[in-house]
Amino acid sequence: EAGVVQSPRYKIIEKKQPVAFWCNPISGHNTLYWYLQNLGQGPELLIRYENEEAVDDSQLPKDRFSAERLKGVDSTLKIQPAELGDSAVYLCASSLDGGLYEQYFGPGTRLTVT
Amino acid sequence: SQQGEEDPQALSIQEGENATMNCSYKTSINNLQWYRQNSGRGLVHLILIRSNEREKHSGRLRVTLDTSKKSSSLLITASRAADTASYFCATSRNSGYALNFGKGTSLLVTP
């Protein structure tokens, strides 16, 4: 069984440029998460999807961040425009029900904003 | 916000020794999970323990949960150099809630 796939693995951009991250969850997992992880910290939730619906996006900086999960499968997280402070690892995870079961994480995208 | 808090922040031991990491949390939970993260990689799920369970084992891993003290511990027995990683605890209040991760314990196992 394939795991959670993320691309790209690394991205370097200049500030004010846009950037997009893509995630393909494990087949059959209805719940999809995007996390942000700063160096030396645990993952922090950005947004959680149940199928196509974003059910928790309270931590998503909506002035510059957006996300979508079309057809309840793949998801894209976008930042526009990027700021220096956005440099971090962006993790995608999926689960049958993240509240009750384990989550499966992708390898993450390491973003560097210069 | 991060609810779980691991202790210690860093731990250095030699191969063959046991490693114990602790996690404290603040609100009531449905379950508590432990994850491992190798440098530059994604998180890997280790063990899930539910609020009505007190102890769980998986290979060389042993997890305990004390809901009265709002704390959990992860014991890795007979550690190996390959166990070198960061270990995170994460709590969930119930179905429909996201996991809240702590800041992690960085474990270094030297040969």
Side-chain angles (χ1 to χ4, degrees), chain A residues 6-98:
Chain A
Q6 287 188 250
S7 68
R9 289 294 312 277
Y10 305 92
K11 189 75 176 178
I12 301 174
I13 60 172
E14 294 184 345
K15 62 182 180 181
K16 299 185 181 180
Q17 294 300 305
V19 64
F21 314 124
W22 175 80
C23 172
N24 178 245
I26 291 175
S27 177
H29 283 188
N30 297 327
T31 310
L32 183 146
Y33 305 78
W34 283 103
Y35 290 92
L36 177 152
Q37 186 176 26
N38 288 304
L39 189 64
Q41 302 290 315
E44 296 184 47
L45 181 71
L46 288 173
I47 189 168
R48 174 169 64 95
Y49 282 93
E50 295 290 345
N51 299 304
E52 305 90 359
E53 183 181 1
V55 294
D56 185 355
D57 62 356
S58 58
Q59 302 302 313
L60 190 73
K62 297 182 184 63
D63 57 336
R64 298 185 300 106
F65 286 64
S66 64
E68 61 181 10
R69 190 184 184 195
L70 300 177
K71 300 182 181 178
V73 181
D74 295 0
S75 177
T76 302
L77 177 68
K78 298 178 181 178
I79 308 175
Q80 182 172 11
E83 298 179 352
L84 295 176
D86 296 332
S87 294
V89 176
Y90 292 82
L91 296 165
C92 179
S94 70
S95 175
L96 289 173
D97 180 333

Side-chain angles (χ1 to χ4, degrees), chain B residues 20 27 76:
Chain B
T20 299
T27 64
I76 304 174

Side-chain angles (χ1 to χ4, degrees), chain A residues 9-10 33 35 37 40-45 48 50 56 59 91 97-103 105-107 110, chain B residues 1-2 30-31 33 35 37 40-45 48 50 88 92 94-99 101-104:
Chain A
R9 289 294 312 277
Y10 305 92
Y33 305 78
Y35 290 92
Q37 186 176 26
Q41 302 290 315
E44 296 184 47
L45 181 71
R48 174 169 64 95
E50 295 290 345
D56 185 355
Q59 302 302 313
L91 296 165
D97 180 333
L100 299 181
Y101 300 98
E102 60 268 33
Q103 295 186 14
F105 283 80
R110 182 175 297 277
Chain B
S1 62
Q2 298 187 310
N30 172 279
N31 66 76
Q33 305 179 30
Y35 288 80
Q37 185 176 35
R41 310 290 291 274
L43 281 78
V44 175
H45 179 264
L48 181 154
R50 302 197 184 279
F88 295 91
S92 173
N94 213 327
S95 173
Y97 287 88
L99 291 177
F101 285 85
K103 294 184 178 181

